[in-house]
Amino acid sequence: MTIDRMIFAMAGVMILLSVLLAVYHHINWLWLTGFVGLNLLQSAFTGFCPAALIFKKMGIQAGCAFK
């Protein structure tokens, strides 16, 4: 699995988790959904993603987006 796919998977899990927490615990968990979406948007334009740096240091192979 490449870094690109891991970023997509992690973002999807974080969004689903925050929505579930917002429904069953407290509505303020939706701020996490907004943060994840904003980070995905800025990384699309800048190419900088903190999670990609962490995955790269873990030795995971880079895909097309995060070389």
Side-chain angles (χ1 to χ4, degrees):
M1 185 179 275
T2 64
I3 290 177
D4 302 352
R5 290 181 184 247
M6 289 189 76
I7 294 294
F8 293 146
M10 187 179 84
V13 167
M14 294 301 290
I15 289 171
L16 289 174
L17 180 66
S18 66
V19 168
L20 286 173
L21 285 169
V23 168
Y24 293 111
H25 183 57
H26 197 277
I27 195 73
N28 281 338
W29 280 103
L30 289 178
W31 286 101
L32 179 60
T33 304
F35 173 75
V36 171
L38 187 64
N39 194 24
L40 285 170
L41 185 64
Q42 73 83 22
S43 69
F45 289 105
T46 65
F48 174 75
C49 180
L53 295 175
I54 293 170
F55 289 145
K56 187 179 267 188
K57 286 184 180 181
M58 291 172 58
I60 297 168
Q61 180 183 9
C64 298
F66 297 106
K67 284 189 175 184

